Amino acid sequence: MDIEDDTTVFSTLKSFKSFISLPDTSRNQGEPAPVQSHVLQNQYLQRLQLLEAAEKVQSKTQLIQLDQEKRQMEISHKRARIELEKNATLSARDFEREVDRNQDLLGRIRRLEEREAESSQSLSEKAEANRALHRTLESLNRRVEERDGWLNTSNQTASGLKDEIRELKQQVQTRDNTISNQTLENQGLQEQVELQHRKYQEVSQRCQALQLASSTCSDHELKIKELERKLALQEQDVVIVKNMRSEVARIPDMDKELRQLREENVYLRETRENVILLKEETEGLRRKVERMEKMKEEMVNVELEKEKLSQKLQAWENLGQSTGLNIRTPEDLSREVIQIQQREIAVKQHNYTLTSSCRSVERSKADLQGELLSLRSKALEEQKKRETQESLVRRLQKRVLLLTKERDGMRAILESYDSELSSSDYTPQLSRRLREAEDVLTKTQSHNTEMEVLLTKAQEEAGALKLQVQTMELELEVMKKQQDSVAEGNPLATNEEVNTLRLKIEELEGERQRLEEQNNVLELRLERHNLQGDYNPVKTKVLHFSLNPTSMAKQQRVEEVEALRAEVECLRERLRSLQTGGAVPLAAAAGETSLSLPPSQEVLDLRKQMETAELKNQRLKEVFQRKIQEFRTVCYVLTGYQIDITTENQYRLTSVYAEHMDDSLLFKASGGAVGSGGSMQLMETDFSRTLREMVDLHLHHQKSIPAFLSAVTLDLFSRQTTV
Amino acid sequence: MSVTAAFGINSILYQRGLYPPETFSRVAQYDMSLQLTTDTKLKNYLTNVVSQLKEWLFDCTVQKLVLVITCLETSEVLERWQFDIECDKSAKEISAPREKSIKSIQDEIRSVIRQITATVTFLPLLETACAFDLLVYTDKDLEVPDKWEESGPQIIDQSEEVRLRSFTTSIHKVNSTVAYKRANSD
């Protein structure tokens, strides 16, 4: 801060100098002088202000410094105080320690005095011994006078003895030292023991507190569980109460319903009887109704018959009026009927005669017709014969003409040849030519005759056919005439026959169409079935290889299924055994079943976990045992007592320095656990009877068990270690 | 002819997935590559059946050859491949020279096998485990040889039929149809 102040001071000085120097240059300028002087004045004022500010700052810094120094002083004061206090405490402690030391030293002094006494006693004893020795010396001296030689030895022995005395003294001193050291160590150890006791007490207190807390926790948990159980029970009770309430609420409704139902019951019983009666009545009525209906139908039929009969009667009655035969009674009718029958008989006779005559006439007619036909045929034949003969005649005439022409031609040739012939000999050639011509002629003639024969045959056949046709036509006409005649005789019968025949034809045609359709349908079905694989068992059969893949696959499947079922049953048995037994049957089942499944991963993991847990448990047990053993040994070593728990809340303490193995102190914890505030009480034992004084002092007066125990150890120790 | 039948059966088995495809090996025949099974049991069965079939074909006593595919769980027939064989007995006796060229026969066989492959597209999937069987429809009076036995026709319950191509050799005419169980979708 000072440096900064100095720098500001320096800077202000510099600026001031510069300001002063400036007017030298400004005088030269002149015009801007007043402005510059203003500026300079401002600057100067600013500089002054800055200086003031700097001073202020400086003062402030000084103040701050002083404050800091003051604080530091205070702090140092405090520290000094604290140190003084510490020193005071330390000195107090030192003082205390020195006081203790003083006391110790006083004690030591006392002990030393005692020891001195003892040592003085010992010294006195030794002095006595010395005297005795002196006496002996004297005796020896007496003897020495007799024997000078023994003086030296006796002196020597005396010196040796003195040396021994010195050595003894040194040993005594060393022993005293060692004793002091051991006492010091003992004290240290006792202090440590005390510390340990304190710690042990603290630890025991904490243990007690923990046990108390755990017991309280367990109690609380028990309470909580009980409360939860109570809660659950209460909830169940609440639910039950609700149900009961709902049920109870339903009871008045139920009562009402009951009453209603009872009333209905009574009513229904009454009505049931009525119903039965009514049913019987209805049945009777139904039967009556049926009978009445039947009667009605019969009546209707009867009425119809009656009407018919009445109509018939009327017709019969009207007959007389219609026929005009004066019929009023059936006798008249019968008479009329008889008359009619007689007339009929007469007419029939007449009819029969007529028919017979008719038939005879017809026969004659037919005979005549046959004769006619034969005659006509004959006539035709004769006509044909005539025609043929005429044709023959014409042919013959033609032939004749041809022949005559040939003859004329031949004659002409011959004449020509004869005329031309002079003396040549052309007759062989001519004759040859003649023969050839004759041959040609004959051939042509034979051909001609054959053709004519064929013609005649054809014509005869044609004629025969014509005859046949005509005869057939005639027969047809005859048949038609016969039919007509027959039809005139019985027109009704033929019509009926025709109608029936037509009906039959139509029926047959319908059946045929139906059968054709069925046939088509069946053929389609057959085709389809053939496509699907159907076959005619009469003509075909189906074969396949015995060892075919389907049967083998089916067998395999069956075997697989059986194997799976067996496995499933085994697994089920295992499951049941597991559910009922647990670990033991598992091993048994695993050993028995041959189809044992590999243990599942979970089971293996659980087993491993179990094993690890068991190992842990064992290790923990071992560790606990070791620790307990350690602790017990440490307690035994440090406290000097072996504490055993004989029964609940009873502890037996045996001392390290006990004279007999059976010497033990029994303590009983009363009032529950030890940590919960219950006191330990000493029980009577043989050993405790011997320690009655200490019991009285430490337990009854001082009420301190640790003091008692330590007193007992000290006492026993002293007893053990006294020379 | 019987060789054709063997190839046809093999291709059907391959296409329908009755046996795993890795058990089949490719073979060149009729100018196309066909699948033949390498499974020894199956091969033995097929050779037995085919040799017997050859005899019967020569005697013209075989009327139909049917390959039936049954579902193992329900023992229902799912598919039926039917080959109707019409034998010209007179041709066999006369032993006339082949009027049809071998190439055309091969073409027809090839087309049949291609058609078998194509039918797989519209046949329903065989989802369950299946096995097949070969049935032969013969004349009633034929003597049943060893290892063969009579069986039923294994007709499908509600079937759809599809006619496939037919092919003719000089002696036989073979019509093929495939019938499959209608898949009820309600």
Side-chain angles (χ1 to χ4, degrees):
Chain A
M1 287 297 282
D2 293 330
I3 294 164
E4 286 176 10
D5 296 330
D6 292 333
T7 47
T8 49
V9 167
F10 280 125
S11 61
T12 48
L13 282 168
K14 271 185 195 170
S15 57
F16 185 70
K17 279 178 191 170
S18 64
F19 171 69
I20 294 164
S21 64
L22 269 172
D24 293 328
T25 54
S26 69
R27 276 176 207 158
N28 295 326
Q29 286 177 7
E31 285 184 0
V35 177
Q36 280 187 357
S37 68
H38 271 294
V39 168
L40 286 167
Q41 276 181 358
N42 287 331
Q43 279 183 2
Y44 178 68
L45 286 168
Q46 282 175 8
R47 299 282 160 68
L48 279 173
Q49 283 171 3
L50 280 169
L51 275 169
E52 285 173 7
E55 282 175 11
K56 278 184 198 169
V57 163
Q58 215 177 10
S59 61
K60 277 183 191 169
T61 51
Q62 278 178 4
L63 266 172
I64 289 160
Q65 273 180 3
L66 287 167
D67 282 332
Q68 277 184 354
E69 283 174 12
K70 196 180 125 190
R71 275 178 221 150
Q72 279 175 3
M73 288 288 284
E74 284 177 0
I75 288 160
S76 61
H77 270 298
K78 278 183 194 168
R79 277 186 201 152
R81 230 186 266 166
I82 289 159
E83 282 175 9
L84 281 168
E85 283 175 3
K86 274 188 196 168
N87 289 330
T89 50
L90 282 169
S91 58
R93 266 186 225 159
D94 288 334
F95 179 73
E96 286 176 2
R97 271 187 215 151
E98 282 180 8
V99 162
D100 290 332
R101 262 189 219 160
N102 268 331
Q103 287 178 355
D104 291 330
L105 285 166
L106 282 168
R108 259 192 231 164
I109 285 158
R110 277 176 221 152
R111 279 175 222 144
L112 283 167
E113 282 175 4
E114 289 174 2
R115 271 189 215 126
E116 270 182 19
E118 292 172 1
S119 57
S120 63
Q121 281 179 6
S122 62
L123 269 170
S124 62
E125 290 171 2
K126 278 165 193 164
E128 283 177 6
N130 267 330
R131 278 176 215 152
L133 285 166
H134 275 298
R135 281 177 212 149
T136 53
L137 268 170
E138 282 172 5
S139 66
L140 284 166
N141 281 324
R142 285 173 206 154
R143 283 183 199 165
V144 161
E145 285 178 0
E146 296 176 0
R147 298 173 199 166
D148 289 326
W150 283 353
L151 263 172
N152 293 323
T153 56
S154 62
N155 283 326
Q156 282 174 7
T157 52
S159 65
L161 285 166
K162 281 179 192 171
D163 290 332
E164 282 177 15
I165 289 157
R166 274 182 228 141
E167 282 175 12
L168 282 167
K169 278 183 190 171
Q170 280 174 2
Q171 279 180 10
V172 161
Q173 281 176 357
T174 52
R175 271 183 204 165
D176 289 333
N177 289 330
T178 51
I179 285 160
S180 61
N181 288 330
Q182 279 180 3
T183 48
L184 281 169
E185 285 176 13
N186 204 5
Q187 282 167 9
L189 284 169
Q190 277 183 354
E191 283 175 7
Q192 283 181 10
V193 159
E194 282 171 12
L195 280 168
Q196 287 288 327
H197 266 297
R198 275 177 222 154
K199 279 185 191 171
Y200 174 66
Q201 279 173 4
E202 284 172 14
V203 161
S204 62
Q205 280 174 4
R206 276 187 204 161
C207 282
Q208 284 173 6
L210 276 168
Q211 280 175 8
L212 278 168
S214 62
S215 61
T216 47
C217 278
S218 58
D219 291 336
H220 284 308
E221 278 173 8
L222 285 168
K223 279 181 195 170
I224 286 163
K225 279 179 192 167
E226 283 176 12
L227 286 167
E228 280 175 1
R229 266 182 245 151
K230 279 182 192 170
L231 250 179
L233 286 167
Q234 272 182 355
E235 279 173 8
Q236 283 175 7
D237 290 336
V238 159
V239 166
I240 290 163
V241 159
K242 277 185 195 169
N243 290 333
M244 291 304 290
R245 262 189 218 162
S246 61
E247 281 182 12
V248 161
R250 270 192 278 155
I251 282 170
D253 299 332
M254 304 271 278
D255 289 332
K256 282 182 202 168
E257 279 184 34
L258 241 183
R259 270 177 241 151
Q260 282 177 4
L261 286 166
R262 274 182 198 153
E263 287 171 5
E264 276 185 37
N265 247 343
V266 165
Y267 180 66
L268 283 168
R269 271 176 209 153
E270 287 174 2
T271 50
R272 202 189 343 154
E273 293 171 3
N274 292 334
V275 158
I276 291 163
L277 288 167
L278 284 167
K279 275 184 189 171
E280 287 174 5
E281 280 184 30
T282 49
E283 279 181 23
L285 284 167
R286 254 183 232 154
R287 279 179 216 147
K288 271 190 195 173
V289 159
E290 284 171 8
R291 265 181 265 148
M292 293 305 284
E293 280 175 4
K294 281 179 199 168
M295 296 275 281
K296 261 193 201 173
E297 286 172 8
E298 285 172 13
M299 244 189 54
V300 164
N301 292 330
V302 160
E303 275 178 9
L304 283 168
E305 283 179 19
K306 187 185 131 194
E307 279 181 18
K308 283 179 196 169
L309 287 168
S310 60
Q311 277 177 3
K312 277 186 191 173
L313 249 182
Q314 278 179 1
W316 283 114
E317 282 174 5
N318 290 332
L319 254 179
Q321 292 168 7
S322 62
T323 53
L325 290 170
N326 208 13
I327 293 165
R328 279 183 201 149
T329 57
E331 293 169 358
D332 294 335
L333 232 187
S334 60
R335 194 179 18 100
E336 290 290 335
V337 163
I338 289 159
Q339 282 177 5
I340 289 163
Q341 276 177 354
Q342 284 173 354
R343 272 181 223 162
E344 211 189 313
I345 288 160
V347 162
K348 270 189 187 174
Q349 280 177 353
H350 190 64
N351 205 3
Y352 287 143
T353 51
L354 280 169
T355 49
S356 59
S357 61
C358 197
R359 271 180 208 156
S360 60
V361 161
E362 278 177 6
R363 267 179 236 147
S364 59
K365 191 178 146 194
D367 294 333
L368 286 165
Q369 276 182 357
E371 282 179 20
L372 230 183
L373 280 169
S374 59
L375 285 166
R376 272 189 192 166
S377 62
K378 276 180 192 170
L380 283 165
E381 279 173 10
E382 281 175 8
Q383 258 187 7
K384 268 175 202 157
K385 275 182 192 172
R386 200 167 32 101
E387 281 172 8
T388 50
Q389 281 177 358
E390 279 176 6
S391 65
L392 263 170
V393 161
R394 275 179 224 144
R395 251 182 267 139
L396 283 168
Q397 282 174 356
K398 279 180 196 168
R399 248 191 194 177
V400 162
L401 283 165
L402 279 169
L403 278 166
T404 49
K405 276 180 192 170
E406 276 180 30
R407 199 189 26 153
D408 293 334
M410 294 303 282
R411 271 185 193 163
I413 290 165
L414 270 170
E415 284 169 8
S416 68
Y417 278 133
D418 285 332
S419 65
E420 284 174 13
L421 258 177
S422 55
S423 61
S424 61
D425 199 3
Y426 293 111
T427 46
Q429 289 179 1
L430 279 168
S431 60
R432 226 191 301 133
R433 276 184 200 160
L434 248 177
R435 273 176 226 147
E436 285 173 7
E438 283 176 3
D439 289 333
V440 162
L441 235 184
T442 48
K443 277 180 193 169
T444 48
Q445 278 176 1
S446 60
H447 190 67
N448 224 354
T449 47
E450 285 173 10
M451 295 304 288
E452 281 169 6
V453 161
L454 282 168
L455 241 181
T456 49
K457 276 183 191 169
Q459 280 177 350
E460 278 169 12
E461 282 176 8
L465 282 167
K466 273 187 193 169
L467 258 177
Q468 277 185 6
V469 161
Q470 281 171 357
T471 48
M472 294 295 285
E473 282 175 4
L474 284 167
E475 280 174 6
L476 257 174
E477 286 174 10
V478 164
M479 290 292 286
K480 276 183 188 169
K481 280 175 195 167
Q482 279 182 355
Q483 270 187 357
D484 291 333
S485 61
V486 165
E488 283 164 13
N490 292 322
L492 286 168
T494 48
N495 276 333
E496 282 177 4
E497 284 177 13
V498 162
N499 285 332
T500 50
L501 285 167
R502 272 182 209 155
L503 285 168
K504 271 190 191 174
I505 287 161
E506 280 166 17
E507 281 174 21
L508 286 168
E509 280 193 4
E511 264 195 52
R512 192 178 59 85
Q513 278 175 7
R514 216 168 14 89
L515 286 168
E516 268 187 30
E517 284 167 12
Q518 269 188 17
N519 202 10
N520 289 330
V521 164
L522 285 168
E523 276 176 12
L524 281 169
R525 263 199 219 165
L526 240 186
E527 268 187 41
R528 205 155 159 267
H529 278 291
N530 272 333
L531 274 178
Q532 282 182 346
D534 213 353
Y535 63 98
N536 185 356
V538 175
K539 290 182 194 164
T540 53
K541 62 186 177 188
V542 184
L543 297 175
H544 72 157
F545 208 64
S546 311
L547 278 177
N548 63 62
T550 313
S551 56
M552 292 203 296
K554 276 182 189 168
Q555 268 182 12
Q556 275 179 15
R557 231 195 152 75
V558 164
E559 282 166 17
E560 274 181 33
V561 162
E562 281 179 9
L564 286 167
R565 269 185 205 155
E567 258 192 69
V568 160
E569 281 174 12
C570 288
L571 286 167
R572 272 187 199 151
E573 282 173 12
R574 261 187 152 194
L575 256 176
R576 275 175 225 152
S577 62
L578 274 168
Q579 278 172 1
T580 52
V584 172
L586 200 155
E592 284 172 3
T593 54
S594 59
L595 283 168
S596 61
L597 300 162
S600 62
Q601 200 61 34
E602 286 182 12
V603 169
L604 286 168
D605 291 333
L606 287 166
R607 276 187 201 162
K608 279 179 198 167
Q609 280 179 17
M610 249 176 62
E611 284 164 16
T612 51
E614 277 174 19
L615 274 172
K616 261 191 198 174
N617 266 339
Q618 275 184 4
R619 273 179 211 154
L620 279 168
K621 277 184 198 168
E622 285 169 17
V623 165
F624 283 140
Q625 273 190 359
R626 260 192 288 119
K627 286 287 172 186
I628 286 163
Q629 275 288 338
E630 260 187 56
F631 189 69
R632 278 174 61 103
T633 49
V634 162
C635 281
Y636 183 57
V637 165
L638 292 174
T639 58
Y641 285 102
Q642 189 177 335
I643 303 168
D644 303 316
I645 303 174
T646 51
T647 53
E648 190 72 28
N649 291 338
Q650 275 197 7
Y651 306 95
R652 192 182 64 198
L653 280 81
T654 20
S655 173
V656 167
Y657 304 113
E659 282 162 0
H660 307 288
M661 283 303 294
D662 299 332
D663 289 345
S664 61
L665 296 165
L666 262 179
F667 282 92
K668 189 176 171 189
S670 60
V674 175
S676 65
S679 58
M680 298 285 275
Q681 291 174 349
L682 178 66
M683 313 294 286
E684 277 283 327
T685 58
D686 296 331
F687 185 58
S688 66
R689 282 178 209 133
T690 59
L691 303 164
R692 203 158 287 166
E693 289 174 2
M694 279 192 255
V695 168
D696 290 332
L697 173 63
H698 296 289
L699 289 178
H700 293 306
H701 284 278
Q702 293 175 350
K703 294 185 184 166
S704 159
I705 295 173
F708 166 68
L709 288 171
S710 47
V712 166
T713 45
L714 280 170
D715 179 51
L716 288 169
F717 178 66
S718 62
R719 278 193 219 165
Q720 284 276 321
T721 52
T722 48
V723 175
Chain B
M1 173 64 208
S2 52
V3 172
T4 321
F7 279 114
I9 291 161
N10 266 294
S11 51
I12 291 169
L13 292 177
Y14 176 72
Q15 293 292 336
R16 298 310 284 138
L18 286 166
Y19 290 87
E22 49 264 18
T23 60
F24 285 85
S25 63
R26 238 173 234 275
V27 154
Q29 187 83 8
Y30 304 121
D31 283 334
M32 59 192 282
S33 64
L34 301 171
Q35 302 282 351
L36 258 189
T37 183
T38 52
D39 186 82
T40 44
K41 268 195 196 172
L42 185 58
K43 260 191 176 172
N44 281 333
Y45 171 67
L46 283 176
T47 43
N48 281 325
V49 170
V50 163
S51 55
Q52 186 59 57
L53 194 64
K54 221 182 194 178
E55 263 187 53
W56 284 334
L57 278 168
F58 192 68
D59 295 333
C60 289
T61 48
V62 130
Q63 293 171 15
K64 290 193 226 271
L65 172 68
V66 181
L67 189 145
V68 178
I69 298 175
T70 38
C71 166
L72 285 175
E73 285 172 3
T74 58
S75 297
E76 266 186 319
V77 180
L78 293 178
E79 269 181 32
R80 223 170 166 274
W81 295 76
Q82 186 167 289
F83 300 94
D84 304 322
I85 299 165
E86 289 163 24
C87 188
D88 195 359
K89 292 196 182 168
S90 60
K92 175 211 139 194
E93 284 160 17
I94 293 169
S95 71
R98 299 211 172 158
E99 292 178 15
K100 254 193 140 162
S101 71
I102 291 172
K103 187 159 190 314
S104 61
I105 294 171
Q106 278 192 354
D107 282 337
E108 284 185 350
I109 291 167
R110 202 184 314 150
S111 60
V112 165
I113 289 180
R114 280 214 194 107
Q115 206 171 22
I116 289 169
T117 319
T119 52
V120 172
T121 51
F122 64 80
L123 288 175
L125 280 175
L126 298 172
E127 280 151 11
T128 57
C130 294
F132 80 98
D133 194 7
L134 287 168
L135 306 175
V136 183
Y137 285 49
T138 59
D139 292 341
K140 180 87 180 168
D141 51 358
L142 183 70
E143 179 195 326
V144 180
D146 269 354
K147 300 186 194 172
W148 287 74
E149 61 190 12
E150 279 210 39
S151 92
Q154 314 272 33
I155 294 176
I156 298 176
D157 214 1
Q158 289 171 318
S159 66
E160 296 271 356
E161 292 102 29
V162 175
R163 261 196 202 276
L164 306 175
R165 271 176 191 266
S166 61
F167 70 92
T168 52
T169 60
S170 51
I171 306 174
H172 302 103
K173 179 172 196 284
V174 179
N175 296 318
S176 35
T177 46
V178 63
Y180 56 94
K181 194 174 162 88
R182 210 176 290 159
N184 292 327
S185 58
D186 41 323

